[in-house]
């Protein structure tokens, strides 16, 4: 295969010394930042589309939906494709593997109140976040996802998948990479001591903006407490009750975020006196965030989220990400990237929200 690939692009390619094994970057160590001029399809794997974060990596937290984005690189790197659903039917779940009749019911998640807008991708989506804690443990299930519809729940332990024992969450990710988009995935799940086989009908993954919209739009906005304010004095959404809020997730290394800053500053000047509050949240350290804000002349409220708790609550894994919240604290829309069309729509929506109670 020649020289060993280097950098982040190299981490997505098969290693010469590992046969067909694929080495994936740790999902919590990177975030997508849209190119300034265009959205480049991820399957082309251009260098610079994914940026490494200079933060402490937590390998035990593995967001499945994000790790699966590397599947789009298969066509570009020559990795053999999985057989189609027609030629490789999935084994049907059985009543073996210790299934009991007292398996507790999963709490029902509220149905999504938003619709998928963009075309879906050509790789499967499970929609669960996992951590390696006493086995492969589910710590979050996303609304409207295959995992939610199949009945997976928080704190479930996935013992095996397709009859293969799972020692760590990465084992399940690697298995998912081999599955056709519309296949079913048989998972043996342990819940409060009882076990059952759960069949998950996989489906093509939505783009990340739609995933965030399914999870957030129409529901109460997650609190932002825990951030460290370095400009302005906003540290909680409760302090902004009765105002329209625009949350911006950004970072110093994101060129598209820098491009967006003047537009958001213009909105801040024009609408802050009419009931709009813009709050920028970054994972940058305080000193770096303040320095970049000064250079970009950002005067609206800014806060650092070094532990990424708020970033994770909002699924802000692609930036810049804007979340529009109405005066009642309900999320009304999510936009990712500096698309002029989306920005025009977002400005129209925030104007309407401002007018609603004036």
């Amino acid at each position: 295969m020649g020289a060993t690939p280097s950098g982040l692009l190299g981490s997505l390619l098969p290693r010469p010394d590992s046969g067909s094994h694929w080495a994936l970057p740790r999902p919590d160590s990177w975030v997508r930042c849209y190119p300034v001029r265009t959205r480049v399809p991820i399957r082309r794997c251009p260098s610079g589309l994914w940026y490494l974060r200079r933060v402490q990596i937590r390998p035990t937290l593995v967001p499945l939906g994000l790790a699966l984005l590397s599947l789009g690189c298969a066509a570009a790197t020559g990795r053999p494709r999985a057989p189609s659903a027609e030629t490789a039917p999935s084994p049907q779940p059985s009543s073996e593997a210790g299934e009991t009749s007292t398996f507790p019911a999963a709490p029902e998640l509220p149905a999504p109140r938003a619709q998928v807008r963009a075309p879906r991708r050509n790789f499967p989506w499970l929609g669960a976040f996992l951590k390696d804690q006493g086995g492969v443990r589910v710590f979050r299930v996303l609304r409207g996802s295959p995992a939610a519809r199949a009945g997976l729940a928080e704190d479930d332990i996935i013992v095996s998948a397709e009859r293969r024992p799972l020692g760590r969450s990465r084992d399940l990710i690697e298995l998912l990479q081999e599955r056709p988009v519309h296949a079913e995935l048989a998972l043996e799940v342990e819940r409060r001591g009882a076990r059952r086989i759960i069949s998950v009908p996989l489906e093509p993954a939505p783009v990340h903006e739609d995933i965030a919209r399914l999870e957030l739009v129409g529901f109460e906005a997650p609190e932002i407490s825990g951030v460290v304010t370095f400009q302005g004095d906003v540290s909680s959404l409760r302090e902004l009750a009765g105002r329209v809020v625009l949350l911006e997730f950004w970072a110093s290394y994101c060129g598209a975020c820098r491009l967006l800053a003047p537009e958001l500053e213009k909105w801040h000047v024009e609408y802050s006196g009419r009931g709009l509050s813009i709050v920028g949240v970054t994972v940058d350290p305080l000193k770096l965030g303040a320095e970049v804000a000064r250079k970009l002349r950002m005067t609206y409220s800014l806060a650092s989220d070094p532990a990424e708790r708020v970033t994770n609550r909002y699924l802000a894994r692609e930036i810049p990400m804007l979340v529009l919240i109405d005066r009642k604290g309900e999320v009304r829309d999510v936009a990712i990237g500096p698309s002029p069309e989306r920005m025009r729509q977002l400005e129209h929506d925030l104007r309407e929200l401002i007018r609603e109670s004036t």
Side-chain angles (χ1 to χ4, degrees):
M1 187 171 168
T4 303
S6 60
L8 185 56
L9 178 59
S11 69
L12 292 172
L13 298 175
R15 290 180 177 172
D17 58 351
S18 60
S20 60
H21 174 71
W22 270 52
L24 297 177
R26 289 173 174 171
D28 272 4
S29 67
W30 44 260
V31 65
R32 185 176 184 179
C33 177
Y34 276 109
V36 171
R37 296 187 181 278
T38 182
R39 297 186 181 186
V40 183
I42 184 62
R43 64 177 178 273
R44 294 174 60 187
C45 297
S47 60
L49 182 59
W50 296 88
Y51 292 78
L52 281 173
R53 277 185 176 171
R54 295 182 179 179
V55 297
Q56 182 180 1
I57 296 173
R58 300 187 301 281
T60 57
L61 301 182
V62 184
L64 282 182
L66 295 172
L68 290 175
L69 290 176
S70 61
L71 284 173
C73 299
T77 57
R79 185 186 182 206
R81 293 186 177 182
S84 66
E86 290 77 13
T87 59
S90 173
Q92 295 299 311
S94 69
S95 59
E96 300 176 8
E99 180 176 336
T100 71
S101 58
T102 58
F103 191 75
E108 187 174 349
L109 287 176
R113 297 171 185 172
Q115 301 295 322
V116 172
R117 291 173 174 171
R120 291 176 178 261
R121 291 160 167 161
N122 62 348
F123 50 84
W125 178 49
L126 182 60
F129 287 71
L130 308 177
K131 58 184 175 182
D132 296 325
Q133 179 183 333
V136 180
R137 186 180 297 271
V138 177
F139 75 91
R140 184 172 180 178
V141 177
L142 299 180
R143 276 187 271 265
S145 67
R149 287 193 292 273
L152 277 179
E154 183 179 341
D155 281 334
D156 281 353
I157 296 177
I158 303 177
V159 179
S160 67
E162 298 296 324
R163 302 180 184 275
R164 300 186 199 176
L166 300 177
R168 54 180 186 162
S169 50
R170 188 172 295 275
D171 296 337
L172 180 54
I173 293 172
E174 291 174 353
L175 175 62
L176 276 166
Q177 290 180 345
E178 303 170 2
R179 305 299 294 166
V181 171
H182 293 286
E184 290 197 356
L185 184 68
L187 301 177
E188 182 186 357
V189 175
E190 180 178 317
R191 183 180 300 162
R192 298 201 291 274
R195 291 191 180 186
R196 172 169 291 181
I197 300 293
I198 292 180
S199 180
V200 183
L202 300 176
E203 62 183 33
V207 299
H208 191 75
E209 180 177 303
D210 280 333
I211 292 175
R213 292 183 68 256
L214 290 172
E215 181 70 6
L216 297 171
V217 171
F219 297 92
E220 182 179 355
E223 187 50 83
I224 63 170
S225 55
V227 298
V228 182
T229 304
F230 61 86
Q231 183 167 285
D233 57 359
V234 176
S235 59
S236 168
L237 291 181
R238 289 190 297 271
E239 301 171 15
L240 301 174
R243 293 180 64 85
V244 177
V245 178
L246 184 65
L247 283 183
E248 175 206 15
F249 291 90
W250 66 285
S252 59
Y253 51 78
C254 172
C257 301
R258 292 171 180 257
L259 180 70
L260 201 58
E263 184 70 13
L264 296 183
E265 181 62 26
K266 185 183 77 173
W267 291 0
H268 170 63
V269 172
E270 184 174 352
Y271 301 116
S272 61
R274 297 162 58 184
L276 174 69
S277 292
I278 300 179
V279 181
V281 179
T282 179
V283 295
D284 289 327
L286 291 175
K287 185 177 180 180
L288 177 58
E291 180 182 348
V292 173
R294 185 178 65 255
K295 290 180 179 178
L296 296 179
R297 300 179 180 178
M298 302 162 71
T299 63
Y300 47 88
S301 296
L302 298 171
S304 176
D305 180 30
E308 300 185 44
R309 292 189 181 93
V310 174
T311 300
N312 288 331
R313 287 174 202 157
Y314 280 87
L315 303 179
R317 292 296 179 177
E318 294 185 9
I319 56 175
M321 174 171 164
L322 301 174
V323 181
L324 182 61
I325 304 170
D326 66 19
R327 296 179 188 270
K328 298 178 181 178
E330 181 181 301
V331 176
R332 299 295 288 267
D333 202 3
V334 175
I336 296 178
S339 162
E341 181 181 351
R342 289 293 285 124
M343 294 301 292
R344 285 193 295 270
Q345 181 63 46
L346 198 64
E347 184 176 14
H348 173 270
D349 292 344
L350 69 85
R351 282 177 176 171
E352 291 299 315
L353 291 179
I354 289 172
R355 290 194 193 103
E356 281 182 4
S357 56
T358 56

